[in-house]
Amino acid sequence: MLDRRNLIKQAGAGVVALGSGVALGALEALPADTVTMPFENGVRPLVKYPQKRPMIGLTSRPPQLETPFSVFNEGAITPNDAFFVRYHLSGVPYYLDPDTYSLEIKGKVDKPIKLSLPEIKQLDAVELVAVNQCSGNSRGFVSPRVAGGQLGNGAMGNARWKGVPLKALLDKAGVQQGARQVTFDGLDEPVSDKTPDFVKALDIDHARDGEVMLAYAMNGQDLPVLNGFPLRLVVPGYYGTYWVKHLSEITVIDHVFDGFWMKSAYRIPDNACACVPPGTAPKATIPINRLDVRSFITNVTDGAKVKAGGETLLKGIAFDGGYGITDVLLSTDGGKVWTEAKLGQDLGKYSFREWQTVVKLPAGNHELKVRAVNRIGQSQPSEPLWNPPGYMRNVVETVRVSAA
């Protein structure tokens, strides 16, 4: 049996084989290294978990790791070892054996089934590039401040997912008449019986749209343990709360699921902007759903100095909830005049879309702003919208630079 010291030593940045399974090593903190996020109480440690590069640590029980923002300047695809991590329950399944793992499909189906991982991998596979973004990404910038993880802009990532369409498995089980929703449960568990299990639900038509996927691979490799190994739900265009990790149970039901994480948590104001006046409560709420339009400058940071009169390359990323980005506009004068940037390769309507442009800035201080437009004309608000949970921030981003 491996003791803790040898487990950590052998795991390094990977996993240790235990029979036919894998075991994730323990946390290695790097206490000498910190980052300071650009908001109040923004000092964060850099921490190192197996299968991950040093990442911004928010909590350790459960693990919450934010991607350093510089990673998004490396390319449209977020590397597995830099992909953000978000859990709600501290009972993370660090020790998993793919040979004994199984996925159960039950409830209002003609033939309940239980599938092993090899059986799932034998089915016809599909691939899709899609953004996974935490509902509370950028919450640290919300003003007035709200409760919840005070995240910067790094609780998001874009990956090429490979797996099996959920529709194929539901069809295999045979969905019965009267089915209304499908619920999803993973192997992560609460440490207290008073904490509700993390179970999410999708309407039956959404679950069977052919795009919702059970993914076992990410960027050409098995899922990292902390990103859902061996199987996770991928819900393209929807916030990460629906992307259930370590998926173990799928249940078809004939009613609207009223579990805590749907009925009480992850809800937004029921209006067009998902917002209310700061400090107020919404009259009615609905479950959070589709991603808003977002865009960022990735190669120039706030407070940077550039050469006056010279050509300055600006580049970044944009994305939305699946309509697809058609335009990215950049302003160098605080939003008075906008010019069109050149779009990069289209990896699909759910993916990051890279963009770039070259500007010449005269001597002085400048506010660079970027906004994106999708195929149905949606863009970002010039001023941040507010709701009590701090969800769905998508204001036009500003980077302040000086040219000399």
Side-chain angles (χ1 to χ4, degrees):
M1 183 174 179
L2 292 171
D3 63 29
R4 178 181 176 86
R5 179 180 300 176
N6 286 331
L7 180 63
I8 296 173
K9 181 178 179 181
Q10 292 181 44
V15 292
V16 175
L18 294 179
S20 56
V22 293
L24 188 67
L27 165 68
E28 295 179 38
L30 304 177
D33 294 327
T34 61
V35 296
T36 301
M37 309 300 283
F39 43 74
E40 187 178 352
N41 299 321
V43 177
R44 301 282 185 271
L46 285 175
V47 295
K48 178 83 170 65
Y49 277 76
Q51 298 184 296
K52 295 292 180 182
R53 68 178 73 176
M55 296 183 69
I56 301 168
L58 191 64
T59 63
S60 58
R61 295 194 65 199
Q64 296 187 74
L65 309 177
E66 182 175 345
T67 302
F69 195 75
S70 60
V71 168
F72 301 117
N73 197 50
E74 296 177 9
I77 299 296
T78 309
N80 289 5
D81 69 350
F83 211 94
F84 84 98
V85 173
R86 171 72 167 109
Y87 281 91
H88 296 83
L89 307 179
S90 294
V92 176
Y94 290 114
Y95 303 95
L96 291 158
D97 187 343
D99 287 343
T100 60
Y101 164 86
S102 65
L103 171 70
E104 185 176 9
I105 303 175
K106 58 184 181 177
K108 298 295 181 178
V109 296
D110 295 331
K111 185 178 67 174
I113 55 177
K114 185 175 285 189
L115 297 170
S116 68
L117 188 61
E119 287 173 328
I120 293 171
K121 288 185 175 182
Q122 287 173 4
L123 301 174
D124 291 340
V126 294
E127 288 191 344
L128 178 76
V129 180
V131 173
N132 182 10
Q133 180 183 210
C134 177
S135 307
N137 192 28
S138 314
R139 186 188 283 119
F141 297 100
V142 172
S143 179
R145 299 190 77 180
V146 296
Q150 300 301 298
L151 293 158
N153 292 324
M156 61 181 183
N158 187 46
R160 186 178 298 277
W161 310 94
K162 180 179 179 180
V164 178
L166 174 61
K167 182 182 187 301
L169 295 183
L170 292 176
D171 289 350
K172 189 179 183 71
V175 175
Q176 294 179 352
Q177 288 287 337
R180 292 190 63 183
Q181 288 196 325
V182 183
T183 67
F184 307 90
D185 195 4
L187 294 171
D188 46 324
E189 298 177 342
V191 295
S192 167
D193 57 9
K194 295 180 180 179
T195 303
D197 193 13
F198 189 78
V199 179
K200 299 295 292 189
L202 296 175
D203 289 343
I204 187 67
D205 288 345
H206 188 182
R208 301 182 68 186
D209 68 2
E211 292 187 327
V212 178
M213 178 196 301
L214 309 185
Y216 48 76
M218 179 177 174
N219 296 331
Q221 299 178 319
D222 288 345
L223 296 172
V225 173
L226 290 176
N227 293 116
F229 177 86
L231 194 70
R232 81 172 302 165
L233 193 67
V234 169
V235 187
Y238 270 53
Y239 281 94
T241 178
Y242 293 98
W243 295 45
V244 175
K245 296 185 288 295
H246 319 293
L247 189 61
S248 60
E249 290 184 2
I250 297 175
T251 307
V252 179
I253 59 177
D254 60 5
H255 57 278
V256 175
F257 181 65
D258 63 355
F260 174 80
W261 301 101
M262 292 295 297
K263 184 179 180 180
S264 301
Y266 284 101
R267 298 184 71 87
I268 57 175
D270 186 9
N271 55 38
C273 67
C275 67
V276 293
T280 68
K283 294 179 180 179
T285 63
I286 58 173
I288 195 169
N289 46 81
R290 193 174 292 277
L291 300 175
D292 279 333
V293 181
R294 299 205 77 176
S295 56
F296 296 92
I297 298 170
T298 59
N299 71 321
V300 176
T301 58
D302 204 57
K305 299 183 186 306
V306 300
K307 184 178 180 181
E311 291 191 343
T312 298
L313 174 68
L314 298 177
K315 63 177 185 173
I317 52 174
F319 64 97
D320 76 330
Y323 298 105
I325 297 298
T326 56
D327 300 281
V328 173
L329 305 172
L330 188 89
S331 173
T332 61
D333 58 3
K336 298 174 185 176
V337 178
W338 297 87
T339 58
E340 191 171 347
K342 180 181 179 182
L343 296 180
Q345 183 181 5
D346 186 354
L347 298 177
K349 63 183 182 179
Y350 295 111
S351 172
F352 284 161
R353 188 77 184 266
E354 291 187 297
W355 61 267
Q356 67 176 39
T357 190
V358 174
V359 299
K360 292 184 179 181
L361 300 176
N365 297 322
H366 303 272
E367 282 192 354
L368 309 179
K369 291 180 177 287
V370 61
R371 65 183 180 92
V373 183
N374 70 7
R375 283 191 174 86
I376 63 170
Q378 294 174 329
S379 189
Q380 298 131 282
S382 57
E383 298 296 330
L385 306 176
W386 192 92
N387 55 57
Y391 292 153
M392 302 176 66
R393 181 179 171 90
N394 76 322
V395 67
V396 170
E397 301 290 337
T398 302
V399 175
R400 297 163 183 84
V401 300
S402 61

